Structure formats: structure tokens, C-alpha cells
Amino acid sequence: MSPPPAAAECDKGCLSTTSAASTPSSSAASKSSSSAASTPSTSSISTPPTVNATNVTSHGPFTGPPATTTGAISTSILASSIPALPPAPGAFAYPANGKLNATQPAPYTPAGGLGTNGSAPVYRPLSDFDFQSVALALYQEWIELDLFHWGLATFSAQEFAAAGLTAEDRFLIQFMAEQELGHATVLTNMLGPAAPVQCTYNYPISNVREFIDFCQKLTRWGESGVYGFIQHLDARDMAQILQQSISTEARQQMIFRQFEGLFPMPVWFEIGTPQSWAWTLLSPYISSCPRNQTRLIWQNFPALYIINQPNPARINGSAAVNETTGGYANALNTTGVPRADDCFLGVNSSAVGRTCAPGITRNRSEPLSQPGRLVNLRWDAPGKPVGPNNSYVTDTTAGKPRFALWVTQLNATYTPLLNVSGNQASTVQPDLETFAGDPAVNGTIFLAITDDDLFVTPFNLSMVNPRVNALAIYQAG
């Protein structure tokens, strides 16, 4: 399928629809008089504008004066953490017997559901939780918009071709940037005047392959961060819009995996993470933001460095040592990959099961990681300035590090830390399945250091935040 026509082509008769978050007058349904023509005139159809966005011309680390504010915003705090409670009263009351157990509100309509009573949606935050969550998602959309444009502007057509990517592939990246403009527009419209705006950014990237790997990791935490909070929003209408935008982001993450020569979807379930995890992973790559930029409440955890992070640029990905561009994303670094073990440029890289050339799907003979693998870790102490204008500070309320927490698919699995020495330790990659036939630890996942093996599920994973010492992305497959 071809991309949608450009705006200039729409005066030829293509249909435009109004944004869900446009002004009340443009989003309200129009009532036709009895004498109106059955076919509306296209001249009456207006296209909402996109939010103002420009290609950021400045990239690199923050070099401004010391920050005048540090840390997340806060008000009065009621307790040091949210207590773990039993299921809510009535949680098991519904019989789930396949029958209709209550009066129907209308034909073909079962009783229940949120936002189903006929009230008109307003597409605006209903709580601090709503605003802070959607504002985080908007920060993510802005960096993706810039990152995709930056990669296309920084690397030449010849450099993309040398990485196996054609002009059509570059156009797909450009179109993904245009998708981000749409996402930024609708989230900005829903948040209103206080919505975060574009910032400047700093990327740990020196070539096209590193650009693609960083993109697939960044879209991973962007996607997972929204999955983690979307069902908790008070504003169900906003959740609907977020669902429709994050579904697109999920496709982007899969495409970048295909560009990297990875198996596109090696899991049965995608991951949902707390907002503070997404902000922790995102904020170090924001250099500076405009004055009076809306600040976020979310915590910034210290960085976790995976010393032997599996490197997708290698035939034997598990052989990598110190081949990342730093903590948090732990994105691949191609510099130290020997030619013989390079899965794209090496002499042995053309064989099936060994190549990581871009493709619809790749199946490695040697997996990037495997159960029983010893994983070597190092993490920062708290108190490091990070994020926009270095105005946030990493923090943890956790005690002595004791466990590695592997968050993947529906699982939150702990393995004990071994050989702990200061801020260094090892752990063993666990061997488990989500369901029979589905190895749980696979794909681009999350790894945290914790002081306890608190039981959590995908719906209440944020309960573990007070126990987290450090956080990272782990490239399991």
C-alpha cells in the first residue's frame, strides 16, 4: 500500500477527517437539514493542522550552566511507598459463567464497561496521573521525530546502502518520522497549553547500524512505557487515542528489528513497564529543553551497564564484551567487532543462520543469548544529574542490591546476584517459558537490579519501583 497522499493532493477529492482532539466545534458532529444534498461538498471538510515542529539543528551533550532545579516535581507525599493490598472488594463477585447476569442498557449491549454510558468524550486529562503519563508519552514522540530525521540527515545514501538499506527503506524511516508528527500533534492537543515541546538531543551513534539498533531499543521502551500505564488512565478517551498511536509504534519497533537483521517478533506477548522506567531510559538522551518546559514527576533510576551485552552485529552475539555505547540503552557499538565475526560485513556473514543483513525475518543459528548465560553487570550510584539541562537527578530508595529482575512478556523473574563487589555483580540468565513452547527471555527486554524479589504482575509492576537500584535494556534476542 502507498502512503497517504500529501496534503496538497487532498484538494482533488480525498477525504480528510478531524482530529479527535481538535476544537469542540470541529470535532462535533454536524447536523444536516432535510433539504441537504446526500453527498457533502468536499469544500466543507477541513484538515486540522499539525503541531509546530522543526528539524532540531543542535545535537550533543548539555553544555549550559548548572541547573537551577533538580529532580522530579512533587507536592506533599503521603507515604514512602504504596502498600501492597489484597484484591479489591468484589473482585471475584462476577460469576463469569458465559451468561448475561445483568440488565442490558441497550440491544446487543452487555452491562458494564467504562465510558460506555453515552457521555461525550472530551479527550483531556482527568488527573495528575493522566497528565504526567501522557506528557511522558509526548516527550517520547518528540525524540522519535527528531531521531528519525537526524539519522536521515546525518548519514548519506551511500552509508545506508553500505548497511544494506535502500532508498525505499530510507523513505520508510521518513514516513515513520511523519507518523511521530501526528502522534505529537494529537497528544499536544489533548494536553493543552502545558504540553511539553521539542527539545535538543544527544545520541550515542556513529554509523547507520548503530542508528538502527538505537532506534529499535528506543521504540521498545517507548512502546512498553505506554503499555504499562494505558489501562490505569482515568481518562478512558485519552487511552483510546494512545492505544491507536502506540499500535503504530509497535510496528516501528518491529521494522527496526528487521532492518537490524533480527527476528522481527520473537515473543508471544509484549512488555508493559512503569512510567519511571520509560523516563529513566529516555531522559539521558535529552540535552536541553526550552525555558519553562513542563517537568515530569517520574523517577530517574541509576544506569545499569551490561558488560557482556549481546551484540546483534556479531555472528556470535554472546561473545561481546564492552561493546555498547553506554548504560541505559546499552546500544550496540560496532567498533570492536572482529571482521571474521561481523554478521553483515564478515567473510562468513552470507550464510543462512549467520547473516544479520536487513530482511523480513532472520533466524540465527547461534542465538544472541541463552538460558544459563553468565551476565556481568555494573551500575552507577544515585545522585547523577541527567535529562534536560541536567536538571533531574538519579535516585533510588532501594537497599543493598540482591537480585536481577528480568521483565519480559508476562513475566517478572528474579535471579540472585553473584559475586557482588561494590557496584558490580553477575547473574545467570534464567531458563523459563511464559507458556509451554514460548521461551520467556527473548527479544529486547528490561533488566533491573533490586533489593528484594517482590511478587509483581504486568498490571502492578510499578510496585517494584521502591526496590529498584538500577535499570537497563537487555538484548536477549
Side-chain angles (χ1 to χ4, degrees), residues 271-294:
I271 309 169
T273 61
Q275 295 96 322
S276 288
W277 291 35
W279 181 237
T280 292
L281 295 166
L282 165 63
S283 61
Y285 305 105
I286 304 175
S287 295
S288 62
C289 292
R291 186 179 179 183
N292 298 325
Q293 171 81 321
T294 295

Side-chain angles (χ1 to χ4, degrees), residues 28-55:
S30 299
K31 295 182 179 179
S32 301
S33 66
S34 58
S35 60
S38 58
T39 303
S41 169
T42 56
S43 62
S44 65
I45 300 173
S46 62
T47 301
T50 57
V51 69
N52 290 332
T54 59
N55 285 335

Side-chain angles (χ1 to χ4, degrees), residues 350-395:
S350 60
V352 174
R354 286 174 167 258
T355 182
C356 61
I360 294 174
T361 185
R362 298 291 180 197
N363 194 11
R364 288 175 177 257
S365 299
E366 296 183 56
L368 283 181
S369 71
Q370 57 282 323
R373 181 176 190 260
L374 188 68
V375 180
N376 300 317
L377 307 169
R378 176 175 61 84
W379 55 94
D380 286 341
K384 181 179 179 180
V386 294
N389 309 83
N390 280 342
S391 64
Y392 292 76
V393 177
T394 60
D395 184 37

